[in-house]
Amino acid sequence: MIARMSAEGPLSIKQLAAPLPISRQAVTKHLDILQAAGLVRVQKAGRERLHFLDSSPLKEVEDWLEPYAREWDQRLSRLQRHLEDRS
């Protein structure tokens, strides 16, 4: 659902549920959780509620993880160089 909202923009529950092997009620529960996490926003469009992705909380996580990822990249590069030197 997140990937589809990212690629396609705002979608209704009906649109989100159509290709999935789960009920609309299950999609609604998933969307409620994503909304509570701040990853999904809801906008009314007539009788429908459109759901769209708000990726800003994911950017915060990415920013927090970045120093750790950089450190692991450096460690893995050192390990690779060490293993290549031994062969």
Side-chain angles (χ1 to χ4, degrees):
M1 287 190 298
I2 290 174
R4 285 196 54 220
M5 285 184 282
S6 177
E8 299 175 34
L11 297 167
S12 68
I13 290 175
K14 181 179 178 180
Q15 291 168 317
L16 284 165
L20 300 174
I22 58 176
S23 67
R24 284 190 199 174
Q25 291 81 10
V27 170
T28 299
K29 285 185 179 186
H30 285 282
L31 288 170
D32 289 345
I33 292 167
L34 292 170
Q35 187 177 0
L39 294 170
V40 168
R41 304 271 183 238
V42 179
Q43 176 183 5
K44 285 195 172 196
R47 292 177 25 204
E48 285 188 315
R49 291 173 10 143
L50 298 177
H51 299 79
F52 64 96
L53 180 65
D54 179 357
S55 61
S56 57
L58 295 176
K59 177 68 173 133
E60 292 175 32
V61 172
E62 180 184 26
D63 291 345
W64 183 80
L65 287 173
E66 197 275 327
Y68 301 102
R70 187 174 49 243
E71 178 65 28
W72 275 106
D73 287 343
Q74 291 170 357
R75 288 179 183 203
L76 290 171
S77 292
R78 287 194 304 265
L79 176 61
Q80 182 178 12
R81 283 193 306 273
H82 173 74
L83 294 173
E84 288 170 351
D85 288 347
R86 291 185 63 192
S87 34

